Structures are given as structure tokens and as C-alpha cells.
Amino acid sequence: MALEFRAAWDPASVVNKTRGRPRGISHTRQQLLSAAEQHFFAGDLGTISSRELASEIGVSHTLVNYHFGSRDGLVAAAVALRAAPHDVIALSRDDNQRIDLPRLAHGILAIWEHQEHGAQLVAFARRLASDDSSALSIADYIHNAVFAPLVEDFGQEHARRIATATIGFLFGRYVLALPLFADLSREEAGRLLVSMLR
């Protein structure tokens, strides 16, 4: 099952999808996202203003609020383009629409072990940990898109343990590169993460 699941995981397909807006409006939304994504790669997304982002594509800064609710909403959407946690949750559901913990663990690994996306996530996580100004909006997004579905399926206490184990594992293996985690093969890391989530 794990091999089947891994083959189905394509990190490039884990993106936000725009729904229900006319083409002209979604074009501006996409331009704003693209500009924010470029700053994500450059490492200064946490410091650039709505006005500066809008100016780069030649639109009013009020369109940031129109499309994303706030500058922080745009930041969260740009990060989600690289590896949307709510899509990881969705792809981890079994035939009964419950979150399957081994699938969840291998989905997390597929994203963080990806050659391109993994390095970007590590860099972004390090910036968040060093008091990046977008940390609060990302935390709010993670709470609603990830923690709430976990609570629904597993209850608050188990969901809290899953979240704690996942964050500890990700920081230990990828952000801090602690040998205890970083020296494990992907298969060993997968087994460890599954056992931690249970």
C-alpha cells in the first residue's frame, strides 16, 4: 500500500485551485500569486508589502484584500502553492473519507523529501522560526486547514499529539537536521513518523 501511495504522490500537483471567478478577475489573482511566489523563492516574502506586490504587476493594492482578505492571506496562499497542507490531508483520506495515518505520514515525506520543494519548505520554516512577520497567518491557515480536520477524525487530544509529533519530526529531520532524525533513510523515517502519529 505504501508503494502505491508514494507513486500517486506528485508534489507538483499539490496546489490551490481557484474556483468560481470570471477569467479576468482570476487572472489578477494569479498574477498576485505569481509575484508572491517569486518573493517566496527570493526569501523576502515576509517583508514585502501589499502595495509593493500590487505595484509590481500594475494593479491597486486593494485587490490583495479583495482576492485574499489581507496581505497575510496572500502569503499563506503563496506558501500553499508549494505544498498545500489541506491537499495533503485530502489525499490522505481512505475510502471511508477518514484520514489514514500511514498515508498522511508518507504524504508529508513525499513533500519534504522532494528535491525542489523540500529545500524551499526548509528555508521558509527557518524564516518562520526566526520571527517572520507572516507566521501568524500561516499558523491560522494550518489550524483551520490541518488541525481542524484532524480533530474531526481523531478528537482533540489525539489530533494535538499528531500535530506535535509531525512538527517535532519535521523540525528535527529537515530544519535542525538532528542526526537522530536526519540520518534515517526515507523508509526508516516513514516507519518512525507513522509510529509517532499513532
Side-chain angles (χ1 to χ4, degrees), residues 92-131:
S92 299
R93 294 193 180 279
D94 62 20
D95 293 339
N96 297 317
Q97 292 306 302
R98 283 187 56 82
I99 297 168
D100 180 86
L101 292 177
R103 281 188 187 184
L104 178 61
H106 289 292
I108 291 167
L109 282 175
I111 296 297
W112 284 79
E113 297 277 330
H114 188 271
Q115 187 173 4
E116 178 189 348
H117 303 308
Q120 293 163 1
L121 287 170
V122 169
F124 193 73
R126 286 179 176 151
R127 287 197 301 276
L128 286 179
S130 65
D131 199 28

Side-chain angles (χ1 to χ4, degrees), residues 105-114 117-119 121-123 125-126 166-179 181-186 189-190 193:
H106 289 292
I108 291 167
L109 282 175
I111 296 297
W112 284 79
E113 297 277 330
H114 188 271
H117 303 308
L121 287 170
V122 169
R126 286 179 176 151
T166 302
I167 292 166
F169 176 87
L170 293 176
F171 266 76
R173 182 169 172 83
Y174 303 107
V175 179
L176 301 176
L178 297 174
F181 296 105
D183 290 349
L184 297 173
S185 69
R186 179 167 171 171
L193 183 55

Side-chain angles (χ1 to χ4, degrees), residues 153-169:
D153 278 17
F154 299 103
Q156 186 157 346
E157 288 309 310
H158 191 182
R160 189 174 286 132
R161 288 195 303 273
I162 291 170
T164 301
T166 302
I167 292 166
F169 176 87

Side-chain angles (χ1 to χ4, degrees), residues 19-174:
R19 295 182 220 151
R21 295 213 186 266
R23 285 185 185 268
I25 296 175
S26 63
H27 179 68
T28 299
R29 185 182 192 279
Q30 186 56 51
Q31 285 182 306
L32 286 166
L33 272 174
S34 296
E37 194 176 10
Q38 287 176 10
H39 287 282
F40 173 87
F41 293 136
D44 63 351
L45 180 58
T47 60
I48 194 159
S49 71
S50 296
R51 196 173 295 275
E52 290 169 317
L53 277 168
S55 176
E56 286 180 15
I57 64 165
V59 299
S60 167
H61 70 280
T62 60
L63 289 175
V64 172
N65 288 349
Y66 176 79
H67 288 293
F68 301 97
S70 67
R71 175 205 161 278
D72 287 343
L74 172 56
V75 168
V79 173
L81 277 174
R82 306 316 306 161
H86 65 271
D87 284 334
V88 175
I89 292 289
L91 292 169
S92 299
R93 294 193 180 279
D94 62 20
D95 293 339
N96 297 317
Q97 292 306 302
R98 283 187 56 82
I99 297 168
D100 180 86
L101 292 177
R103 281 188 187 184
L104 178 61
H106 289 292
I108 291 167
L109 282 175
I111 296 297
W112 284 79
E113 297 277 330
H114 188 271
Q115 187 173 4
E116 178 189 348
H117 303 308
Q120 293 163 1
L121 287 170
V122 169
F124 193 73
R126 286 179 176 151
R127 287 197 301 276
L128 286 179
S130 65
D131 199 28
D132 187 293
S133 61
S134 60
L136 286 178
S137 64
I138 300 300
D140 187 54
Y141 165 69
I142 294 292
H143 179 81
N144 293 317
V146 178
F147 188 65
L150 288 172
V151 169
E152 189 175 321
D153 278 17
F154 299 103
Q156 186 157 346
E157 288 309 310
H158 191 182
R160 189 174 286 132
R161 288 195 303 273
I162 291 170
T164 301
T166 302
I167 292 166
F169 176 87
L170 293 176
F171 266 76
R173 182 169 172 83
Y174 303 107

